[in-house]
Amino acid sequence: MPHNLGLTKLLVKMSVGIMVACSLLYMTRSQILHYEGRNNRQKTDVSVKSRLKQLYKERTPSNIPLDFTFIDNNWKLSKLCKPYKMFMNTSDFPLIRYTSDAGSVKIFTHSLDDGISSIINRTGAFEGKTINRILYELRLDPHLNLIDIGTNIGQHSIAAALIGRDSIAIDAAKSNIEHVCASADYLNIGSRITLIHNILSDTHGQREFRYSASNSDFGSIHVDSDGIWDKMKKQYDGYFKNNTVKQNSVTLDDLLNLPQIQKFKKVFVKLDVEGHEHRVLLGGKEFFKRLDVHGIIMEWAWHVKRQSADIIKSFMTEWKFKPFKISETKEFDLSAIHSDQWPQDVLWLPLKYLKF
């Protein structure tokens, strides 16, 4: 009996192996490609993460944030961040008092020819209510961290760091990255901020980016796509350069390959990229699938009477988010109001976290 039982088990295993082999023979081409693609993606993910971990180790520990850029389908250290002492007493790096619900500190702004920096100098913050609302959201969950898209000089990421939260801060302008780095180093919060120097969009490659004519104002610099230039130049006649420069783009989904992403299982997103928000979202389907997004504060003004408004509303509906007008601690449902009448900034909250 034992001998026969062993033989039976062997025959069963052989039969299963033959069945699996036969099933592979009859797989369709699309099934085979899917199977191979899945394995290749897994191998690629491992190699990318290994390479990034090595880059991470190359930086010596300091208060200076890690700064990455995405070039030729790879993450690399951009090495734009420098010690803050290199910028002390320079005209484009004044130390200005910045105040939010996270506290009052000094940060490096641009020269006061820059509109945002000038407002911070006069009032303590630019769009302070939005900053405080983000702090309010972060404090609702001790494990919530910030994705800061269009960081400018880093007000939101700095405030998040001051309450002990991590952020990934993204900007296309080299000077903005340098300012965030200098402030983070000066305030001893560099370990809480990761910088990305790229355009964020829905594809890789290069996109056209437009700076101000003065090269000293960084408020509404933007990606030139989907007709936004026609809208911009009507409102800001003479403010921008007529020509653009090419800069590398990256997607939200690419952030998932950063080693720091392990701290960002739960995220709140600030999205302010001057009319390019719809492209950012379209590049983040895997991002929304794999991360727990607790909310998004998005600049809306540039989408009024543009097709991009419908793209955003469709995307956010698909991912089960609802639009709200915001105050610092309350929100008002915008669902029944035509989106052309929505305010400057819109708060999108996931239905699963709303209390009805």
Side-chain angles (χ1 to χ4, degrees):
M1 285 295 291
H3 173 75
N4 291 339
L5 180 60
L7 180 60
T8 300
K9 287 182 177 180
L10 177 62
L11 290 172
V12 168
K13 288 180 179 179
M14 290 176 64
S15 298
V16 170
I18 292 170
M19 289 171 65
V20 169
C22 290
S23 65
L24 289 172
L25 287 173
Y26 287 97
M27 286 173 69
T28 65
R29 180 174 180 274
S30 62
Q31 287 173 321
I32 292 172
L33 289 174
H34 175 76
Y35 177 79
E36 292 176 346
R38 182 181 63 191
N39 287 335
N40 288 338
R41 282 196 300 275
Q42 290 172 343
K43 292 176 183 176
T44 301
D45 286 346
V46 171
S47 64
V48 167
K49 289 178 181 178
S50 298
R51 183 168 61 253
L52 288 171
K53 285 180 180 178
Q54 183 59 37
L55 289 174
Y56 187 91
K57 291 177 182 178
E58 289 175 9
R59 286 290 288 267
T60 55
S62 71
N63 295 324
I64 303 174
L66 283 166
D67 54 312
F68 292 96
T69 189
F70 193 84
I71 303 175
D72 299 327
N73 291 325
N74 286 307
W75 284 110
K76 300 176 182 179
L77 287 172
S78 62
K79 299 182 180 179
L80 293 177
C81 288
K82 304 292 190 299
Y84 77 87
K85 292 182 179 179
M86 292 181 60
F87 303 106
M88 292 293 289
N89 303 315
T90 58
S91 61
D92 191 42
F93 281 78
L95 267 174
I96 301 295
R97 177 68 58 181
Y98 162 58
T99 303
S100 71
D101 285 350
S104 184
V105 296
K106 286 188 174 181
I107 65 172
F108 289 98
T109 70
H110 292 292
S111 75
L112 300 187
D113 293 332
D114 171 68
I116 290 175
S117 299
S118 177
I119 292 172
I120 295 172
N121 184 50
R122 293 197 312 270
T123 69
F126 177 74
E127 297 184 347
K129 289 183 178 180
T130 301
I131 296 166
N132 289 335
R133 177 62 193 225
I134 290 173
L135 291 171
Y136 170 79
E137 294 289 338
L138 293 176
R139 284 169 166 150
L140 293 176
D141 187 323
H143 303 293
L144 200 57
N145 289 313
L146 177 66
I147 307 290
D148 183 2
I149 304 168
T151 189
N152 195 267
I153 56 171
Q155 292 181 98
H156 305 79
S157 291
I158 290 168
L162 291 174
I163 65 167
R165 303 308 174 87
D166 294 303
S167 66
I168 295 175
I170 304 158
D171 207 280
K174 173 185 174 182
S175 184
N176 283 340
I177 297 295
E178 290 174 334
H179 279 74
V180 182
C181 289
S183 293
D185 182 26
Y186 177 75
L187 294 169
N188 194 24
I189 55 173
S191 63
R192 294 227 170 252
I193 301 175
T194 299
L195 276 299
I196 306 294
H197 178 225
N198 281 106
I199 289 170
L200 206 61
S201 193
D202 58 338
T203 59
H204 297 154
Q206 292 191 320
R207 286 186 171 269
E208 304 292 335
F209 197 78
R210 181 173 278 104
Y211 288 88
S212 68
S214 67
N215 283 327
S216 61
D217 198 318
F218 294 84
S220 294
I221 56 179
H222 60 274
V223 181
D224 185 8
S225 70
D226 302 314
I228 189 61
W229 173 229
D230 293 331
K231 198 174 180 76
M232 286 273 187
K233 64 185 177 183
K234 289 178 183 177
Q235 187 160 335
Y236 296 115
D237 183 38
Y239 174 83
F240 293 106
K241 292 180 178 179
N242 287 323
N243 60 311
T244 58
V245 296
K246 292 185 181 294
Q247 294 193 201
N248 292 306
S249 65
V250 68
T251 69
L252 268 178
D253 285 349
D254 291 314
L255 301 185
L256 299 174
N257 284 324
L258 287 169
Q260 288 82 356
I261 205 67
Q262 62 185 337
K263 299 179 182 179
F264 292 82
K265 302 302 182 184
K266 294 181 178 182
V267 298
F268 190 87
V269 178
K270 180 224 115 183
L271 178 51
D272 184 351
V273 287
E274 310 301 321
H276 203 64
E277 287 81 2
H278 59 301
R279 293 291 178 186
V280 174
L281 294 174
L282 291 174
K285 293 180 180 178
E286 196 66 25
F287 177 93
F288 278 85
K289 188 184 299 181
R290 288 169 53 178
L291 301 187
D292 187 2
V293 181
H294 280 232
I296 303 173
I297 284 184
M298 178 190 304
E299 186 178 45
W300 187 257
W302 294 113
H303 299 287
V304 172
K305 297 181 180 179
R306 288 180 65 210
Q307 186 179 2
S308 57
D310 294 328
I311 294 172
I312 293 171
K313 288 187 291 183
S314 176
F315 185 94
M316 299 307 288
T317 299
E318 178 185 350
W319 288 99
K320 296 180 172 55
F321 282 76
K322 193 173 184 179
F324 293 89
K325 179 181 178 180
I326 61 171
S327 67
E328 291 188 17
T329 60
K330 297 180 181 180
E331 57 276 340
F332 307 93
D333 190 355
L334 291 171
S335 301
I337 301 172
H338 193 284
S339 60
D340 285 350
Q341 306 301 318
W342 287 2
Q344 170 83 16
D345 295 307
V346 172
L347 170 65
W348 295 89
L349 293 175
L351 294 175
K352 64 182 179 180
Y353 293 130
L354 291 177
K355 297 178 180 178
F356 296 98

